[in-house]
Amino acid sequence: MKQKFIQGLCAFSVLMASVAYAEAERPNILVILTDDMGYADVGFNGSKDIKTPNLDKLAGEGTVFKSAYNAHPFCGPSRAGIMTGRYPHKFGSQFNLPRSSRSGGLGIPVEETYISKVLQKAGYFTGAIGKWHLGEEPEFHPNNRGFDEFYGFLNGGHDYFPEKFSASYQRQKKQGLDHAIFGYLRPLEHNGKEVEEKEYVTDGLSREAVNFIEKAGEDKNQPFFLYLAYNAPHSPMQAKEEDMAQFPNITDKKRKIYAGMVYAVDRGVKRIVDSLKATGQYDNTLIVFFSDNGGKPTLGANNAPLQGRKGDVLEGGYRTPMFFHWPNHIPAGKTFVHPTSSLDLYPTFANLAKAEIPKDKKLDGKDIFSSLQTGSSPRPGEMIYAVRHRLGFSEAAARRDNWKIIKRGKTWQLFDVDKDPSETNDQAAKHPFMVREMVAEMEAWSWTNIQPKWFHIHQEGVQWREKAMPRYHETFFLE
Ligand code: CA
């Protein structure tokens, strides 16, 4: 009997040891997302005037992506892509949520299981900090979509200086405006309860990220997933004086404010890295940094050498600066040139976490982890798509290996975006069969798109109906 008990005990301790070993193998996952950041607005991706020493250090010790794409060239649908691992066009989320109060009561369909839910079910401690923009009603709230912790704001943006936005909010509240008060002025929240944020919002979000990391560090057997979605450098353009003072050589006023906002993020990244080290979690944390879409040059961003801006299917609209960092697991000092998508994060994270993806879950991305090790393309011969509906017509683009087809007006163009990232040398006339083949493949993909479940502004909905959108019969027509 005793013998059996001891045998059982041994088996139990072996089991416990293997559990601990397995846990140690599963990394913490930290996503640092910026908002509307230009391709050339971080040092590691070519910025000559904005300093980002802390991001650059991580990028230099990790792998920098040169062709990382978002699922959409603006905020809401891009984020829906990150969370669901699917093109937002496939579940009717290809527009930002309605601008009306509480996003019109709408949100990303609850049938779409988020990566946070998958990781939470696999035992991860999960947190979302910052901008949400995926629905404000309880069923769409981060706490109901797989996040144990949420600190931030639910709508699409926020003012930065509490002494100003709190005063405006209180004044308007006294006037009885209540539901009509602009979301950018509303108090931030922690797990559904209003809080009084006292710091510049970027600093407040960095502080909360550090708090989360410290809390996560108390139980090393439970890995964490933190989705830190800074709203910087999204408008309103508001920077701290001391951050702008870092850039005496920038004379353009807009660029200087923009630079200050990016610098505040970089300062926050230092605090986060320091806390990962102090809590002994740095070596086992995968850090992924990128922006949700391209920058707006009119607000001081720089997408060089890419053409276009936020909202476009030109490269500048949805190709983003990005890196992966994880000591001894992600190749250090490497550049990854192959086309990758933010949709790749879902399967990559799930597999690293040894998490179970629901059987009926459809995914559009690839697990890119082994491709990063070998430096090979995760999708040779396969396409990455971008569709942006405008008033009365659709912009469309698809990238396959080094080639990209794009239609923004009447005709399809073809660019070798490896050699010609600025999309200046149209080669469609030289390769008509390739264009025809790629357009046909994209048209077949478009059949998976469904009607939008909402529109951001009223006029978009009116135009959609009056102009019989999405007008794919015209979009995929070849002359
Ligand atoms: Ca954005």
Side-chain angles (χ1 to χ4, degrees), residues 209-210 213-214 270-281:
V210 168
I213 289 163
E214 285 174 353
K270 180 174 191 315
R271 290 170 67 186
I272 287 159
V273 167
D274 287 349
S275 84
L276 285 170
K277 287 180 177 168
T279 55
Q281 300 179 98

Side-chain angles (χ1 to χ4, degrees), residues 31-34 79 129-132 153 205 227-231:
V31 171
I32 304 174
L33 188 70
T34 50
R79 285 151 202 264
I129 292 172
K131 165 165 154 177
W132 183 240
F153 46 92
L205 301 181
Y227 171 71
L228 171 58
Y230 285 109
N231 53 317

Side-chain angles (χ1 to χ4, degrees), residues 68-220:
Y69 294 92
N70 283 293
H72 198 82
F74 56 72
C75 307
S78 170
R79 285 151 202 264
I82 296 165
M83 285 298 158
T84 64
R86 299 182 73 200
Y87 286 105
H89 316 74
K90 294 187 177 182
F91 47 92
S93 305
Q94 56 273 65
F95 284 87
N96 276 338
L97 285 162
R99 219 161 31 176
S100 41
S101 170
R102 295 192 66 78
S103 301
L106 297 162
I108 307 305
V110 294
E111 295 74 27
E112 296 297 328
T113 307
Y114 285 5
I115 182 61
S116 41
K117 198 80 169 179
V118 167
L119 296 177
Q120 189 182 48
K121 274 198 176 157
Y124 272 60
F125 175 47
T126 55
I129 292 172
K131 165 165 154 177
W132 183 240
H133 210 189
L134 299 168
E136 300 182 45
E137 294 305 317
E139 65 264 42
F140 308 121
H141 191 279
N143 290 143
N144 289 325
R145 303 294 301 253
F147 288 104
D148 300 318
E149 289 283 335
F150 173 64
Y151 185 98
F153 46 92
L154 297 172
N155 66 319
H158 211 279
D159 274 44
Y160 293 85
F161 289 107
E163 59 275 25
K164 288 185 183 155
F165 68 71
S166 298
S168 302
Y169 175 75
Q170 292 304 340
R171 195 168 52 244
Q172 294 185 35
K173 206 174 172 191
K174 269 186 203 147
Q175 291 166 351
L177 289 169
D178 214 16
H179 287 300
I181 301 173
F182 190 35
Y184 282 37
L185 306 175
R186 290 181 177 278
L188 273 64
E189 68 155 85
H190 177 217
N191 294 340
K193 286 204 179 90
E194 282 188 5
V195 293
E196 195 188 345
E197 176 57 62
K198 292 202 164 85
E199 291 192 78
Y200 177 70
V201 164
T202 300
D203 292 336
L205 301 181
S206 301
R207 179 199 68 228
E208 292 301 320
V210 168
N211 287 344
F212 179 90
I213 289 163
E214 285 174 353
K215 198 168 169 187
E218 288 167 14
D219 182 2
K220 298 275 190 328

Side-chain angles (χ1 to χ4, degrees), residues 37-53 55-56 64 66 247 250 255 258-260 262-263 266 289 300-305 321:
M37 175 182 264
Y39 193 70
D41 289 333
V42 278
F44 73 83
N45 223 37
S47 180
K48 301 264 192 293
D49 55 353
I50 299 181
K51 291 182 291 187
T52 50
L55 286 166
D56 297 352
V64 173
K66 283 294 168 193
F247 304 98
I250 299 181
R255 183 70 175 165
Y258 183 94
V262 172
Y263 191 75
D266 192 72
F289 173 87
N302 181 1
N303 295 316

Side-chain angles (χ1 to χ4, degrees), residues 35-36 75 79 131 234 292-293 310:
D35 198 353
D36 293 8
C75 307
R79 285 151 202 264
K131 165 165 154 177
H234 190 288
D292 70 335
N293 50 254
K310 173 184 182 177

